Amino acid sequence: ITGLKYISFFFFPDAYSYTPNVSLSLPLGMGNPCLANQYHTLQTSPVISVSSCHQTGYSLQNDNHAASGYYLPHGLRPNGAPALESPRIEITAYSQYPEDEVEESSSEDHIIKRGVNSIVTLTLPNADGYRDPSCLSPASSISSRSCNSEASSYESGFYNYDNSPQNSPWQSPCVSPRGSSSLLSCPHAGGPAGSPHHSPSTSPQIGAMAEEGWPAQPRGSRPNSPSCGGVGKRKYSFNGAPYRQTSCSPNQSPIPSPHGSPRVSVTDENWLANTNQYTNSAIVAAINALTTDGVIDMGEGIPIKTRKTMLDHSPSMSLKVEPGGEELGPDGELCHEDYPSRLALKKENYCGGFLDVPQHPYSWSKPKPYLSNVSCYSSPSLPALDWQLPSCSGPYNLQIEVQPKSHHRAHYETEGSRGAVKALSGGHPVVQLYGYMESEPLTLQLFIGTADDRLLRPHAFYQVHRITGKTVSTASHEVMQSNTKILEIPLLPENNMRAIIDCAGILKLRNSDIELRKGETDIGRKNTRVRLVFRVHINQPNGRTVSLQTASNPIECSQRSAQELPLVEKQSVESYPATGGKMMLLSGLNFLPDSKVVFVEKAQDGHHLWETEAKVDKDSVKSSTLVVEIPPYRNQRISSPVHVNFYVCNGKRKRSQCQRFTYLPPNVPVIKTEPSDEYDSLVTAGLSMHSKPYYSQPRLTPIMPVADPDACLVGAYPPCPPRHAAIPSSSPSSSPTLHDLSPVAYSKCLPSSPTHAAPPGSVVPPIQETPGRPNLAHPASPDHNSCLGMLHSQGSPSHLNSPGPHGYHPIYANSSPSSSPVSHPSTPGGTAESPFVQAYSPSQVQAAASSAQAGGSPPSLLPEDASPPSMAITVKQEPQELDQMYLDDGKLPETRCAHIACKFPLGNYLTKERHFVFLDESFSI
DNA sequence: TAACTGGAATTACAA
DNA sequence: TTTTGTAATTCCAGT
């Protein structure tokens, strides 16, 4: 319902005719380059400028790029707010917004409507409700605090738009009145709101809090832990959820994320490398000041959606402040520049005691010299966390050299840390970036992602937890981005751009806390598998940024299942002719002699089409390996690959996650994989291990076997750099795989199915264009899309050749049929010719992300000020027998791709929706 | 002492 | 509506 409302909101002319232009200018001086970057204003004193203007001039396109639209300083305060000697709050609300929106907000928050331009009064919780900072338990550290993780996804499309900068079409860095409820985000309250980017209004907890007497009782049915009283580990959040305590905490300093603003145009000039990019306490304080006074009202002047997200987005990234730590600049020096701001704002803060508590500036456990040159943040707006990115591009290749163990018991906030994620070998996961020859260090980002069969996205119920201690050798620190905690780890040239991930634990958030979050559609129950997602952003000389991402094998995080449930980590065969009969080796855990392997096929609507039990070689069963004979498919005469699933069953309710398997037509070459050392001993003749990826990254839907990504690039695109000769082979899944390349599959790298013209999970071009550069919005030509998809390797490379649900990415959808990849000569490695070389500005990226997620469709990349390409909505009548046509031709006509691309007029969500439907239908056909 | 573990009791939830 | 089993969460006792 929310989504529908949301969508309709977008399509309704009056709805988008007004563009909530709300901006928050919080010049923090040297304290926060991020802010400077985001707002293009670097002032000497804090200035909070919140305004809502009705701008009829906004184009639809801009609306769709909402995030950026409302966000950019150039939108409202082109010149930035004037420098002031003291904090100033400017609130201007001119416009009105849809009534329904108002109602919605009013009901959710305790905001009193007084008319379009009137003041909204926010009912504030009792100050007594704020938790005493002294009550902070170990878990109260940001590491333990959970955050409402962004759960945006293309699957759900619309949801969570309200609290994800990237997701919200209305996202705005502004402080909204509702956000003000964020006072809730009051420091001590520690709510999700604790982070300024949280909009209380969007959080169900807010309402609950106000109604139930925040933060007296944790929401939910669970009784308070004995320790909740403020003595034990249990921490109170305003809604009772410990993790909700956030950046507001005196010890926490949320900061706006450089990524947070889609329209942020950060240049190298305004990026103050030697300033503390993570010091945004000022903005937090400012927001608190603004939002907690209880009388500020912008509500009536700002579209609800905007108001909901304003607070959320501004600071989409916050810094964890280690208690007792010190805020260090890149060079290790304390950075207290933002203190004045904080202090100044403190007086305005509803939570009076908030700033009285000594600040505990963040401190790296070790000097982080590389920070001074971290290029990661040179880009103001990096891809949203739920964007699918490739693991390699041009010369770069981000790889997980050592995979984490398949089980890691996550800890609750009520518990102490359960340590860092370990590797199978007993060590820790290792990640390395290949192909990077520069001398400047980079930052490796790590967050906890999902491990289901949908697109990779931040896991709503788990957060990465920074592990500290003498046993930890890797420096790291935490930042928040869109409710997702990110661990940043240095990638140093001296270490060969290799990082040992011994500083990452996993925090489990209570299901009840997350599920009640507005917009959250995922359920936590039995959703206990995660993946470590690594990202790196490489700045190019030309200002663009190459973003790479890779995800680990799935990690089971529950205690129980780790002991009982079978877990399939790898499978030796991903696909095989329908005749079956081949032995497949499964590698995993908790296999029993009585374990059964069941193959199932389900229709799109979920009902069973076929189910059969495979023969298990009981003699060879070990707890970690299982040999099973691939059963023949029910139809031996299939003309195209058929995707089925299988699972290992140890008894009632003791099933492994479903694994994907593809039955191929007899004439389709079988994909062979290269055995990995670690598993060689396990592999019997003819068996080689495949990292299993049913629930891993979206994969190619293989109507035709997909070759190695690199191979795919051969000829047309520069291949990813070969792995380093010294690449450890400890991780089978991370080992490259070799595949037989069918001439058909190889020749064109074409999508194997119509859906690939614009797969929902397509890889986002890893290269961002310099801000301001007009976007050409021509992403790769249609026929490149498939390659993009193929490259969208996350986790183990091997899954590249496996089929999988594909997300569709907007970037390509907007491709002009005739357009070709934008050439960027300066791109190293000849990426100019790579399909990944998509020219887009950061703002566009963000805007696109936002619009896409908000609208349930992928973001589109268009220059903010550019009018949408004249793309007629040409809905070509597709042949009814797509599969047949494909098979007959041996390829998917590029022209079809082109037409599909044409169906995505930028900014037209309705059309996009239709397109999705179309794709589904096509696929079905 | 703090971090980390393993186990299990308690509570919530779903079949 | 109740029962029962499972999953989630919290707590304890160690290392």
Side-chain angles (χ1 to χ4, degrees):
Chain A
I1 293 175
T2 301
L4 292 175
K5 288 177 63 179
Y6 171 72
I7 292 174
S8 62
F9 177 77
F10 260 79
F11 295 144
F12 192 63
D14 290 342
Y16 62 73
S17 62
Y18 71 88
T19 298
N21 228 338
V22 185
S23 70
L24 168 61
S25 297
L26 294 173
L28 302 177
M30 297 295 287
N32 201 320
C34 294
L35 291 178
N37 292 340
Q38 290 195 346
Y39 303 104
H40 286 286
T41 58
L42 183 60
Q43 301 170 352
T44 57
S45 57
V47 173
I48 299 176
S49 174
V50 179
S51 61
S52 174
C53 306
H54 181 159
Q55 292 191 350
T56 56
Y58 256 84
S59 67
L60 172 60
Q61 176 186 337
N62 277 336
D63 283 323
N64 288 334
H65 292 234
S68 19
Y70 319 127
Y71 207 74
L72 272 193
H74 60 252
L76 277 190
R77 303 178 68 85
N79 301 321
L84 301 177
E85 293 304 316
S86 58
R88 183 183 69 174
I89 298 175
E90 296 178 354
I91 301 175
T92 310
Y94 302 103
S95 65
Q96 49 190 327
Y97 49 95
E99 189 175 274
D100 58 329
E101 293 297 328
V102 174
E103 294 174 350
E104 178 183 348
S105 63
S106 298
S107 62
E108 294 167 0
D109 294 340
H110 297 257
I111 295 176
I112 301 170
K113 272 197 304 181
R114 295 182 183 176
V116 171
N117 294 320
S118 64
I119 293 199
V120 169
T121 299
L122 174 67
T123 300
L124 300 175
N126 228 325
D128 294 338
Y130 291 98
R131 186 160 65 94
D132 185 332
S134 63
C135 297
L136 293 176
S137 71
S140 65
S141 74
I142 256 193
S143 297
S144 298
R145 283 190 329 251
S146 65
C147 307
N148 294 328
S149 89
E150 165 185 68
S152 64
S153 72
Y154 296 127
E155 290 92 335
S156 52
F158 60 85
Y159 78 82
N160 215 27
Y161 58 82
D162 53 340
N163 59 3
S164 170
Q166 293 91 349
N167 294 343
S168 173
W170 298 109
Q171 74 181 31
S172 164
C174 330
V175 175
S176 80
R178 312 196 64 199
S180 32
S181 17
S182 66
L183 56 171
L184 309 179
S185 58
C186 172
H188 301 195
S195 173
H197 54 273
H198 282 279
S199 175
S201 62
T202 65
S203 173
Q205 294 79 11
I206 301 288
M209 173 185 77
E211 296 169 0
E212 302 169 5
W214 163 69
Q217 284 290 332
R219 180 179 32 62
S221 53
R222 290 186 186 286
N224 288 332
S225 160
S227 60
C228 290
V231 179
K233 297 177 180 178
R234 198 84 169 82
K235 299 178 304 302
Y236 279 111
S237 64
F238 56 77
N239 71 345
Y243 67 85
R244 297 202 181 283
Q245 171 211 32
T246 53
S247 35
C248 285
S249 164
N251 294 335
Q252 299 159 2
S253 178
I255 63 169
S257 165
H259 316 218
S261 174
R263 293 200 173 182
V264 170
S265 295
V266 179
T267 62
D268 291 339
E269 290 70 34
N270 60 21
W271 169 254
L272 305 181
N274 62 345
T275 60
N276 188 331
Q277 57 179 313
Y278 304 112
T279 308
N280 74 330
S281 298
I283 194 173
V284 176
I287 289 172
N288 277 295
L290 174 62
T291 63
T292 59
D293 59 11
V295 294
I296 294 175
D297 170 10
M298 292 193 321
E300 300 300 331
I302 303 171
I304 188 66
K305 295 299 182 184
T306 299
R307 291 186 287 117
K308 283 182 175 181
T309 57
M310 286 187 293
L311 195 56
D312 291 3
H313 308 311
S314 228
S316 59
M317 184 175 284
S318 61
L319 162 72
K320 168 185 180 178
V321 178
E322 295 282 44
E326 292 182 334
E327 205 156 75
L328 297 178
D331 53 0
E333 294 181 357
L334 292 175
C335 294
H336 293 292
E337 289 82 359
D338 60 333
Y339 272 44
S341 299
R342 294 183 193 166
L343 296 177
L345 291 166
K346 166 186 175 181
K347 299 176 182 177
E348 306 297 329
N349 200 316
Y350 167 78
C351 306
F354 168 32
L355 293 172
D356 288 336
V357 178
Q359 297 291 323
H360 296 282
Y362 173 78
S363 167
W364 287 80
S365 56
K366 292 183 177 181
K368 311 289 186 301
Y370 71 87
L371 265 188
S372 61
N373 287 317
V374 168
S375 57
C376 163
Y377 291 115
S378 297
S379 175
S381 53
L382 298 174
L385 298 180
D386 57 355
W387 280 35
Q388 312 301 304
L389 300 174
S391 60
C392 64
S393 175
Y396 311 117
N397 190 355
L398 182 63
Q399 298 219 13
I400 297 176
E401 299 304 330
V402 177
Q403 289 283 345
K405 289 175 61 177
S406 57
H407 285 97
H408 175 82
R409 180 173 165 181
H411 67 273
Y412 285 84
E413 292 174 292
T414 51
E415 299 182 303
S417 168
R418 289 191 175 277
V421 174
K422 299 176 180 59
L424 200 59
S425 61
H428 294 89
V430 175
V431 176
Q432 185 163 5
L433 173 64
Y434 294 98
Y436 182 78
M437 304 305 177
E438 304 301 320
S439 59
E440 293 184 358
L442 296 178
T443 291
L444 178 68
Q445 296 184 313
L446 162 60
F447 64 91
I448 303 301
T450 57
D452 54 29
D453 57 346
R454 295 183 294 172
L455 298 181
L456 175 65
R457 62 194 181 287
H459 204 300
F461 301 90
Y462 292 89
Q463 293 283 353
V464 65
H465 169 78
R466 178 177 175 237
I467 302 297
T468 57
K470 51 188 178 185
T471 60
V472 177
S473 63
T474 304
S476 66
H477 73 164
E478 294 173 325
V479 294
M480 290 299 299
Q481 181 178 335
S482 305
N483 298 326
T484 298
K485 190 177 297 178
I486 298 175
L487 205 55
E488 296 193 329
I489 300 163
L491 272 180
L492 308 175
E494 51 265 42
N495 292 338
N496 200 24
M497 302 307 284
R498 180 186 181 90
I500 298 174
I501 315 303
D502 61 355
C503 55
I506 301 176
L507 170 70
K508 174 68 169 68
L509 309 182
R510 289 190 303 176
N511 294 338
S512 58
D513 291 332
I514 302 304
E515 290 167 352
L516 290 179
R517 189 173 65 198
K518 184 176 183 178
E520 181 57 64
T521 57
D522 279 355
I523 58 175
R525 194 174 178 82
K526 301 181 78 171
N527 183 4
T528 55
R529 309 185 99 191
V530 309
R531 280 180 289 175
L532 301 183
V533 185
F534 298 93
R535 280 188 172 186
V536 66
H537 306 285
I538 310 167
N539 272 359
Q540 301 297 293
N542 60 6
R544 284 175 294 150
T545 299
V546 174
S547 296
L548 303 177
Q549 171 177 302
T550 185
S552 72
N553 290 337
I555 302 171
E556 172 59 55
C557 293
S558 67
Q559 173 192 13
R560 179 178 170 279
S561 59
Q563 302 169 334
E564 303 175 8
L565 294 181
L567 173 68
V568 179
E569 294 180 317
K570 304 180 190 310
Q571 60 192 82
S572 61
V573 182
E574 296 262 336
S575 58
Y576 198 75
T579 52
K582 181 182 177 66
M583 300 303 287
M584 175 169 65
L585 174 66
L586 304 181
S587 176
L589 294 172
N590 300 327
F591 296 148
L592 304 173
D594 293 334
S595 292
K596 297 178 181 178
V597 177
V598 180
F599 280 68
V600 298
E601 179 186 13
K602 291 184 179 181
Q604 288 189 333
D605 60 6
H607 73 265
H608 274 65
L609 293 177
W610 172 65
E611 178 174 319
T612 189
E613 183 178 333
K615 295 179 182 177
V616 175
D617 182 358
K618 297 187 181 300
D619 295 335
S620 61
V621 173
K622 295 179 182 177
S623 63
S624 60
T625 60
L626 199 63
V627 177
V628 59
E629 179 181 333
I630 298 171
Y633 183 58
R634 60 186 172 94
N635 179 3
Q636 300 293 300
R637 305 178 66 179
I638 55 178
S639 58
S640 61
V642 175
H643 308 303
V644 301
N645 295 321
F646 71 86
Y647 59 84
V648 176
C649 178
N650 281 355
K652 185 182 180 182
R653 297 189 180 187
K654 291 184 178 179
R655 295 179 178 179
S656 69
Q657 293 272 315
C658 282
Q659 308 297 122
R660 179 170 287 248
F661 186 82
T662 302
Y663 280 109
L664 306 171
N667 60 340
V668 176
V670 177
I671 300 173
K672 292 193 297 186
T673 57
E674 180 182 63
S676 93
D677 299 343
E678 183 177 327
Y679 287 78
D680 284 349
S681 60
L682 302 176
V683 180
T684 56
L687 293 179
S688 58
M689 300 307 294
H690 267 276
S691 128
K692 96 164 242 132
Y694 172 58
Y695 43 76
S696 60
Q697 290 293 306
R699 298 171 301 179
L700 300 177
T701 300
I703 280 197
M704 88 173 65
V706 176
D708 179 284
D710 288 359
C712 171
L713 293 175
V714 172
Y717 318 111
C720 291
R723 286 166 59 92
H724 191 282
I727 291 176
S729 58
S730 59
S731 175
S733 61
S734 64
S735 300
T737 57
L738 300 178
H739 315 285
D740 281 345
L741 302 179
S742 145
V744 174
Y746 186 76
S747 64
K748 283 185 174 289
C749 290
L750 290 176
S752 55
S753 77
T755 56
H756 275 173
S762 293
V763 186
V764 173
I767 301 179
Q768 298 180 1
E769 190 180 61
T770 304
R773 179 170 182 164
N775 175 359
L776 320 168
H778 7 91
S781 58
D783 57 339
H784 289 171
N785 294 340
S786 61
C787 287
L788 292 173
M790 295 176 187
L791 288 173
H792 140 304
S793 159
Q794 295 185 354
S796 60
S798 61
H799 73 251
L800 287 168
N801 58 9
S802 53
H806 259 292
Y808 160 82
H809 202 290
I811 288 176
Y812 305 109
N814 292 323
S815 306
S816 167
S818 59
S819 65
S820 57
V822 177
S823 175
H824 296 292
S826 57
T827 301
T831 51
E833 286 70 44
S834 165
F836 289 121
V837 181
Q838 306 298 325
Y840 60 93
S841 68
S843 61
Q844 291 162 354
V845 173
Q846 289 290 350
S850 302
S851 59
Q853 294 170 10
S857 26
S860 56
L861 298 180
L862 270 186
E864 302 162 13
D865 53 350
S867 55
S870 57
M871 303 208 297
I873 305 177
T874 305
V875 180
K876 174 183 177 181
Q877 183 60 47
E878 297 291 340
Q880 293 300 301
E881 306 77 26
L882 291 178
D883 289 351
Q884 191 57 51
M885 178 173 180
Y886 170 84
L887 293 172
D888 290 343
D889 295 344
K891 63 180 182 180
L892 181 64
E894 292 85 344
T895 52
R896 175 169 300 126
C897 296
H899 278 283
I900 291 175
C902 282
K903 293 170 188 171
F904 294 79
L906 295 174
N908 188 326
Y909 287 85
L910 180 56
T911 297
K912 286 182 178 178
E913 290 299 326
R914 285 175 175 168
H915 174 73
F916 283 124
V917 172
F918 173 82
L919 285 178
D920 287 341
E921 292 177 350
S922 297
F923 187 69
S924 298
I925 292 171

